[in-house]
Amino acid sequence: MFKNIVLLCTILVNTHGVPQYNNEYWAGRWFPHSASETDQNPLVLSKKSHSHDHGIIMGKEDSSCDDAKTNLAIDWFMNKANFTCLDDKKLFLPQSIVHPIHTVEHIPAAYSAAHKCMNESIEYTESIPTFGTHRPLWAVYGEYTFVPKQRWIHNLEHGAVVMLYHPCANKNQVKLLKSIVKSCLYKHVITPHSELSYDRPLALVTWGHRLEMSKVSTSVAVEFIKKYALNGPEKTTKDGQYSWMLEERSKIVSDLDDTNLCPVYSNINMK
Ligand SMILES: *[C@@H]1O[C@H](CO)[C@@H](O)[C@H](O)[C@H]1NC(C)=O
Ligand SMILES: *[C@@H]1O[C@H](CO)[C@@H](O)[C@H](O)[C@H]1NC(C)=O
């Protein structure tokens, strides 16, 4: 039962039947290889020949698996500690000499992130993951008091930009980055994240990319969003279902597809 639910939507759509693969199954190759080599993995072949349609199972509310309401505490302590500054704010002050870091994770084109039901925990090795196993229901686009990564990773898969800030990060810097994200695109999720570093307590994340910053540079942030937003492997404009602690829904910037990214920053030249 569960094995059928967790498979990537594309596979479910393409095969029109019961997939044969285990949720953690991967017999392909994990690293980029030369273009002349062909990968004989059936998952790769089926994904190459089809567009990424929105799946049938994904995003369906199934209370026995995930209804976006039950057992939420498995993903975080549901404690104020997760979004309150408990450290010395001075340690997080913006520093002009600390340059932003852009990390790129090489996710194979045929990688299929698994869905896990709420009866199983999901751990990540990275403190700011840019891909991975996640919950079947994703977050409604917008700004949150707190939303755990098990949810927003699913939004990344749909092309969202996730803005993370440490609860102790400088308020003006947080405000500036929020205003950039909100005026750049509809598909965004904004949440505090206590696993950011003292040196770079602000981050923008998309599927496979993360930009960690000490001090916001509008041009660097806008360039990152223009280049890496909407790069998730699954194209769907459907909004999420999870909305616990949602403060404000996203507003449309250009249209639901974010056809025109960062329109107010059209003066920023792309390198
Ligand atoms: C978790 O729940 C799903 C759906 O109800 C079920 O298929 C799966 O076997 C359960 N997993 C565990 C570890 O109990
Ligand atoms: C939530 O807070 C607990 C303890 O304060 C911490 O161990 C955990 O990593 C936090 N989780 C998130 C997602 O911030």
Side-chain angles (χ1 to χ4, degrees), residues 75-247:
D75 289 342
W76 62 295
F77 290 11
M78 299 192 80
N79 188 305
K80 275 191 178 164
N82 289 92
F83 52 83
T84 310
C85 178
L86 302 169
D87 219 328
D88 182 355
K89 282 202 165 75
K90 286 198 198 82
L91 296 167
F92 297 84
L93 282 174
Q95 305 166 71
S96 301
I97 53 158
V98 177
H99 60 88
I101 296 183
H102 176 192
T103 307
V104 184
E105 306 215 59
H106 291 285
I107 308 171
Y111 167 75
S112 305
H115 288 177
K116 266 192 184 172
C117 296
M118 297 306 286
N119 54 356
E120 296 182 58
S121 62
I122 306 176
E123 307 292 340
Y124 302 94
T125 49
E126 305 261 354
S127 53
I128 313 171
T130 68
F131 69 99
T133 299
H134 49 251
R135 299 302 176 197
L137 302 185
W138 61 100
V140 164
Y141 292 107
E143 182 179 346
Y144 287 77
T145 307
F146 183 80
V147 56
K149 50 197 172 219
Q150 289 86 347
R151 297 284 167 187
W152 56 250
I153 288 178
H154 200 157
N155 296 71
L156 297 180
E157 192 180 37
H158 295 178
V161 169
V162 173
M163 172 188 152
L164 304 174
Y165 61 96
H166 194 282
C168 300
N170 176 270
K171 292 260 180 304
N172 290 329
Q173 293 290 309
V174 172
K175 209 170 139 192
L176 173 59
L177 192 56
K178 278 184 187 175
S179 78
I180 294 170
V181 170
K182 289 179 183 182
S183 59
C184 270
L185 83 173
Y186 160 76
K187 271 195 174 182
H188 67 255
V189 172
I190 299 173
T191 177
H193 186 70
S194 57
E195 294 162 83
L196 291 154
S197 67
Y198 293 148
D199 272 351
R200 294 179 183 82
L202 304 157
L204 293 179
V205 188
T206 71
W207 187 254
H209 293 266
R210 97 182 143 243
L211 181 70
E212 292 165 79
M213 295 158 275
S214 171
K215 191 169 192 286
V216 178
S217 150
T218 302
S219 61
V220 170
V222 168
E223 224 180 277
F224 179 86
I225 295 172
K226 283 193 179 176
K227 278 191 186 157
Y228 307 112
L230 315 179
N231 66 347
E234 290 176 10
K235 310 294 174 212
T236 172
T237 49
K238 200 179 159 213
D239 202 359
Q241 306 78 16
Y242 176 97
S243 61
W244 175 247
M245 291 196 148
L246 174 68
E247 283 177 28

Side-chain angles (χ1 to χ4, degrees), residues 52-63:
H52 292 86
D53 291 322
H54 179 58
I56 323 156
I57 303 292
M58 176 183 74
K60 198 176 134 204
E61 292 180 39
D62 170 0
S63 54

